[in-house]
Amino acid sequence: MKKLILSAILCCLFSFGNAQNGVNGTLNFTTESIATVGSERGVVDMNGDFLDDIVCIQSTNVNIFYQQSGGGFVEANITTTEADYNPSWSMAAADFDANGYTDLLYGGGNGVTFMKANDTGDGFTEISGSEYVFSQRSNFIDINNDGHLDAFVCHDVEPNVYYINDGSGNLEFIQGGLGDYPSGGNYGSVWIDYDNDRDMDMFIAKCGGEVPRRTNQMHRNNGDGTYTEVGDEVGLADPMQTWSSAWGDFDNDGDMDVFIGASSGEHKLMRNNGDSTFTDVTSGSGIGVVTATGIENAPADFNNDGFLDIASNGNILLGNGDLTFGNVQFGVISGENGPFGDLNNDGFIDAFNNETIYYNTPNGNNWLTINTVGTESNINGIGARVELLTASGTQIRDVRSGEGFRFMSTLNTHFGLGADTEIISVTVYWPSGLIDRVDNPNINETLTIIEGTFLGLEDYLVNDLILYPNPAEDVLNLNRKTGLEDALITVFDITGKRVLNERLKGTSIDVSGLNAGSYILRVVNNGATITQKFIKK
């Protein structure tokens, strides 16, 4: 049974100051009540039209309110075989079998259930393993970077678990290797590229028990399918009590910072120093005015001023773009944050919680929404780094499935532009290594980028990076006037596919494993990117 849900059902205005243009404008929300069925877990596109839908779950039913392009929603109740485990703790969503329809992961207190959407999007196949998993945060992510989406689940009382996708939609259960503390304590996992080496790392917010059990972890992706826990090395090994964190570039300097939300005690703000280490900048940041603690923390640019904000347990801290926050909006969302997305396709991020849509009222600031469609990479582009350049500077986002603790928010990538009326370029660094660049896209629109459509490596070529011998046989030497110590080097073949990715040690690269042909070398050092061609004999 389907019915049209119009905005006239129930709409009332909640005002939190006067909406303003530009930096730190306050927020206005209008609310609409809808009668959902089951646990409210997601705001995510379910049918491949890139419009965010509302998803609620029962053991034998997926209740979806499909957003319509002309406004409003159409409700659909999709009956399923009984799920062995409901999403009592978290839900993640992505198209892990690449059939064009979004699949779901239910993280329950005793195990994990996958609801795999069929090829018409009007039914699900239930897949549950027999393994005991006390689930907390769950994510879809390509763990081994083979182009297929895997799933990761935090385990509360044992080492973490993950499910490796064989490329045909079959998932292999694995326990251990990504957070192995015997009694668990793993709560809020989030996958980000914290060290700007173009692969996804994982931070785990941990809680409860003895100090080692509740010490936060950072798992660095080594680029070869393995991970190393480096929390202490980078300055994030903190035994604070936390269930989730909000990661984003809060000072627009090109790397990911983090707000670690306390479940008890005080929140923390950590600045990425640009060298893969972090410094505590809580003092003077303004986050201390938010003393309410809880389990939900997530980033978004709610007022579209070009600076990321933080949602923390229903409060919104408006960012100034310099790792300070002002004009905090208290109690904007009732209770927990809920999932976030654009529920009326107006370019402003909305929320959903307690059978209520919180529509974010436009304030005159500009925006851009980007849909990433992978071809060599996973179909959702999860794990891609998206960079947007305007006259005001550069903003970055990582495409993620699963933020905060409990909810599943949009897979679309959203940027606020403030008063900027032109975009110089949008660049997507795909997990495969391909790079797409779109110049001068329109503002206040949705841009769909299909991997491999806008290859732009030639734009980055320079003449002052000398490579020798060229052609090279086994070793390629680099000679440049400025130092290249510990630079990130990436080699692409002529199609733009990444074939080598590592930190530079010394001034030479081992290229003996490459096939004969033409290649492009990209060097990233101290925030600068230089690129040059070479030939392998």
Side-chain angles (χ1 to χ4, degrees):
M1 179 180 180
K2 298 184 178 181
K3 56 184 177 180
L4 185 63
I5 309 298
L6 300 175
S7 60
I9 294 177
L10 179 61
C11 191
C12 56
L13 179 65
F14 277 65
S15 294
F16 303 92
N18 296 317
Q20 303 171 9
N21 296 341
V23 176
N24 262 340
T26 53
L27 302 173
N28 287 327
F29 287 84
T30 58
T31 63
E32 177 185 323
S33 297
I34 60 174
T36 59
V37 179
S39 301
E40 301 171 343
R41 285 293 180 267
V43 169
V44 62
D45 170 31
M46 292 296 294
N47 58 356
D49 64 0
F50 300 115
L51 297 175
D52 288 322
D53 308 311
I54 294 171
V55 185
C56 303
I57 304 299
Q58 288 183 306
S59 60
T60 58
N61 183 70
V62 180
N63 178 225
I64 304 174
F65 284 76
Y66 289 106
Q67 185 180 166
Q68 304 298 292
S69 59
F73 299 87
V74 168
E75 182 185 3
N77 284 303
I78 302 176
T79 301
T80 68
T81 54
E82 186 168 2
D84 288 345
Y85 311 106
N86 281 335
S88 53
W89 289 103
S90 74
M91 188 183 81
D95 184 3
F96 75 82
D97 59 349
N99 70 345
Y101 294 94
T102 298
D103 312 300
L104 303 173
L105 182 163
Y106 301 173
N110 293 298
V112 175
T113 289
F114 292 88
M115 281 292 174
K116 187 175 177 180
N118 63 20
D119 291 342
T120 55
D122 57 359
F124 292 89
T125 299
E126 185 262 354
I127 305 170
S128 296
S130 60
E131 302 86 9
Y132 170 69
V133 183
F134 191 161
S135 307
Q136 300 294 318
R137 174 75 263 177
S138 52
N139 318 92
F140 279 104
I141 180 70
D142 187 355
I143 292 174
N144 56 1
N145 201 33
D146 64 354
H148 310 303
L149 280 173
D150 312 304
F152 177 87
V153 183
C154 280
H155 203 311
D156 190 9
V157 297
E158 293 180 10
N160 293 321
V161 304
Y162 47 102
Y163 301 79
I164 297 297
N165 187 344
D166 68 356
S168 298
N170 302 308
L171 300 168
E172 177 190 2
F173 173 85
I174 299 175
Q175 185 168 24
L178 281 169
D180 291 339
Y181 196 75
S183 64
N186 308 290
Y187 279 62
S189 52
V190 59
W191 292 79
I192 68 277
D193 180 9
Y194 83 95
D195 53 1
N196 281 358
D197 65 353
R198 306 302 184 218
D199 51 35
M200 294 296 272
D201 315 292
M202 179 185 58
F203 177 79
I204 304 178
K206 293 173 66 70
C207 187
E210 62 273 22
V211 168
R213 185 181 190 272
R214 68 173 191 267
T215 297
N216 297 333
Q217 296 183 349
M218 171 59 75
H219 293 264
R220 183 185 66 211
N221 190 330
N222 298 321
D224 59 2
T226 66
Y227 293 78
T228 302
E229 203 287 300
V230 293
D232 186 60
E233 176 184 324
V234 304
L236 293 176
D238 195 320
M240 66 184 288
Q241 298 280 34
T242 175
W243 285 41
S244 67
S245 57
W247 282 81
D249 187 4
F250 297 115
D251 53 0
N252 283 357
D253 68 347
D255 48 44
M256 291 289 178
D257 314 297
V258 58
F259 171 89
I260 307 174
S263 56
S264 63
E266 298 180 349
H267 308 303
K268 288 190 174 180
L269 185 66
M270 306 295 291
R271 182 188 68 213
N272 190 324
N273 298 319
D275 60 359
S276 303
T277 67
F278 292 80
T279 298
D280 188 339
V281 292
T282 304
S283 178
S285 67
I287 69 169
V289 300
V290 178
T291 57
T293 57
I295 67 175
E296 290 292 345
N297 304 279
D301 186 354
F302 290 97
N303 58 0
N304 279 359
D305 64 353
F307 306 131
L308 277 174
D309 312 310
I310 298 169
S312 180
N313 304 296
N315 307 303
I316 296 180
L317 299 81
L318 293 175
N320 297 317
D322 58 0
L323 283 165
T324 68
F325 297 81
N327 204 1
V328 177
Q329 313 287 285
F330 291 100
V332 173
I333 303 161
S334 176
E336 299 174 332
N337 291 340
F340 296 112
D342 187 351
L343 287 168
N344 56 358
N345 201 31
D346 67 352
F348 282 73
I349 296 296
D350 311 305
F352 174 69
N353 199 17
N354 296 325
E355 294 191 318
T356 303
I357 301 173
Y358 293 81
Y359 288 115
N360 187 352
T361 304
N363 61 5
N365 284 336
N366 298 314
W367 53 273
L368 181 72
T369 297
I370 298 169
N371 307 319
T372 49
V373 181
T375 53
E376 296 290 330
S377 306
N378 66 84
I379 192 172
N380 299 120
I382 293 169
R385 166 64 59 87
V386 184
E387 294 183 355
L388 179 143
L389 177 63
T390 68
S392 297
T394 301
Q395 298 184 55
I396 63 172
R397 304 283 190 271
D398 288 336
V399 184
R400 307 169 189 159
S401 170
E403 293 194 273
F405 177 77
R406 188 185 304 275
F407 304 108
M408 177 65 209
S409 294
T410 183
L411 286 169
N412 301 334
T413 301
H414 169 263
F415 291 94
L417 303 177
D420 285 338
T421 58
E422 295 182 348
I423 299 169
I424 298 171
S425 64
V426 173
T427 304
V428 180
Y429 298 89
W430 299 91
S432 67
L434 290 173
I435 302 174
D436 284 293
R437 173 171 163 170
V438 182
D439 293 322
N440 307 120
N442 295 331
I443 65 170
N444 300 334
E445 290 187 1
T446 297
L447 173 65
T448 298
I449 300 180
I450 300 173
E451 185 177 12
T453 304
F454 301 97
L455 291 177
L457 283 175
E458 294 292 336
D459 297 335
Y460 298 94
L461 294 176
V462 298
N463 295 318
D464 60 345
L465 173 62
I466 300 173
L467 306 178
Y468 68 95
N470 192 3
E473 187 167 355
D474 294 320
V475 175
L476 181 68
N477 297 297
L478 286 70
N479 184 8
R480 195 167 187 258
K481 293 180 180 180
T482 55
L484 296 174
E485 296 79 9
D486 201 36
L488 174 67
I489 62 102
T490 308
V491 175
F492 302 90
D493 65 21
I494 59 174
T495 70
K497 185 175 183 179
R498 183 175 67 184
V499 294
L500 182 65
N501 191 66
E502 61 186 34
R503 290 285 175 184
L504 182 64
K505 302 301 181 184
T507 58
S508 64
I509 306 168
D510 181 1
V511 295
S512 60
L514 301 181
N515 295 325
S518 297
Y519 293 90
I520 296 173
L521 172 69
R522 184 185 68 202
V523 181
V524 179
N525 189 50
N526 295 325
T529 301
I530 54 177
T531 309
Q532 191 55 278
K533 292 179 179 179
F534 73 94
I535 297 172
K536 167 67 166 59
K537 289 196 293 187

